[in-house]
Amino acid sequence: MELVKFLKDVEELLGKDNVISEGHGLSTFRRDWWSILMLRELLGHDIDAPPAVIRPGSIDEVINIVRLANKYGVCLTPYGGGSSVVGGAYHNGCVVIDMSRLNRILKFDEEDLTLTVEAGAKVVNIERWLNERGYTLDYHPQSFQLLTIGGAIAHGGTGSHSMSNIDELVLSLDVVLPNGELITVGPGKFVRTSWPDLRGLFIGSDGAFGIIVRAMLRIKPLANYYVDLAYVFKDLENAIHFARDIVINVPGPHRVVIHDKESSKLMVGEDGGVIA
């Protein structure tokens, strides 16, 4: 009954088109890419859809949704690109907040080399937008095509195909706390300050302490020259030593990806060796 009242109030806030409480639209949000849930599904077990999906279009709407959830005792699960492989976007019976409408690029500062974006913006779209202007995040995780900035921050994402991890890029965060209060953490364009840094509470927290709604990020100019090289090694150990020597002795920026024998065949068509 409380859920019904909650959804009715949310419909008044967002409009009926942004509240899904029945039908096929719910099944899209039943799980993320967590292998355990995928295996359960493969073995014939049903993965229940969430009780409802709501789609806020602004930070103020997120704040009001969280306050309504407190009023009615409803649990919430943020959902970005659904690319988590650890169950971070699994609803577990909670109402899902689909963050995809909060996808705007809010401020681009070439002087300070910062970019402020909403949490639902996809990394691939941000990178494309920056590249057109001669800049980059230099953040390329395996889930590059699906991942949102909010999801990357909430899961402490690493750029497996780049030199940057998400925690190195985040200058400040805006977070809606469980009580509906909006706070900002991090020094912002000042880069660093002398007071305690609370960003670590939220980066990698899986959304347990609040809903990330906005972030200021470091950017850098695109390189005007690059070289792609591949080397074949007999085993993984030699490839790792080579990668270490490159990072230590060759001036950056550089990106080293090591493929084992199976991955080498799949990714670069080389059969029988380890590629770096």
Side-chain angles (χ1 to χ4, degrees):
M1 182 62 70
E2 295 302 301
L3 176 61
V4 173
K5 294 178 182 178
F6 168 75
L7 293 178
K8 182 179 179 181
D9 283 0
V10 173
E11 278 189 5
E12 292 181 4
L13 177 67
L14 306 183
K16 290 185 177 181
D17 290 343
N18 292 309
V19 178
I20 306 171
S21 57
E22 58 184 5
H24 179 70
L26 292 175
S27 63
T28 302
F29 298 89
R30 70 191 184 281
R31 63 162 175 83
D32 51 21
W33 286 73
W34 190 22
S35 57
I36 292 178
L37 289 177
M38 294 173 69
L39 179 60
R40 286 182 59 192
E41 199 170 51
L42 184 65
L43 293 174
H45 299 285
D46 289 333
I47 306 297
D48 292 335
V53 175
I54 52 183
R55 302 175 64 242
S58 70
I59 292 173
D60 283 341
E61 288 180 351
V62 175
I63 291 170
N64 287 324
I65 288 167
V66 172
R67 289 175 178 172
L68 286 171
N70 272 279
K71 176 181 177 180
Y72 291 109
V74 173
C75 62
L76 302 171
T77 297
Y79 192 103
S83 63
S84 171
V85 295
V86 294
Y90 175 55
H91 58 85
N92 199 29
C94 296
V95 171
V96 166
I97 298 186
D98 175 12
M99 301 293 287
S100 62
R101 293 178 63 212
L102 276 80
N103 59 12
R104 289 172 284 267
I105 293 173
L106 301 173
K107 186 177 181 181
F108 173 48
D109 192 328
E110 289 186 89
E111 183 69 23
D112 289 327
L113 291 179
T114 65
L115 186 75
T116 304
V117 299
E118 291 179 323
K122 286 190 174 182
V123 172
V124 63
N125 294 334
I126 294 172
E127 184 66 18
R128 186 182 299 116
W129 191 93
L130 285 171
N131 291 171
E132 291 171 354
R133 291 157 178 79
Y135 294 90
T136 180
L137 283 175
D138 190 25
Y139 178 64
H140 294 80
Q142 289 180 319
S143 54
F144 182 70
Q145 298 293 333
L146 297 174
L147 184 67
T148 63
I149 283 295
I153 295 169
H155 289 89
T158 182
S160 59
H161 291 72
S162 62
M163 288 295 292
S164 299
N165 298 319
I166 196 64
D167 53 287
E168 299 163 344
L169 301 178
V170 176
L171 292 170
S172 70
L173 289 174
D174 291 325
V175 183
V176 178
L177 298 177
N179 64 357
E181 181 182 353
L182 179 67
I183 65 167
T184 300
V185 296
K189 66 180 182 180
F190 298 107
V191 181
R192 67 185 304 271
T193 59
S194 59
W195 58 73
D197 189 348
L198 299 179
R199 285 173 295 179
L201 285 176
F202 300 99
I203 299 174
S205 68
D206 289 348
F209 303 130
I211 299 175
I212 297 163
V213 291
R214 184 167 49 207
M216 178 187 286
L217 307 168
R218 299 175 190 267
I219 60 174
K220 63 181 70 171
L222 271 175
N224 56 15
Y225 175 78
Y226 70 91
V227 177
D228 280 334
L229 299 171
Y231 300 90
V232 182
F233 299 89
K234 293 181 179 180
D235 53 49
L236 191 61
E237 183 177 357
N238 281 321
I240 292 173
H241 283 303
F242 170 80
R244 178 180 181 276
D245 288 343
I246 284 284
V247 172
I248 291 174
N249 297 304
V250 178
H254 33 54
R255 180 181 306 160
V256 182
V257 179
I258 298 176
H259 297 279
D260 62 17
K261 293 181 179 180
E262 290 75 16
S263 179
S264 297
K265 185 174 182 179
L266 176 65
M267 301 298 293
V268 296
E270 178 67 32
D271 193 5
V274 175
I275 302 295

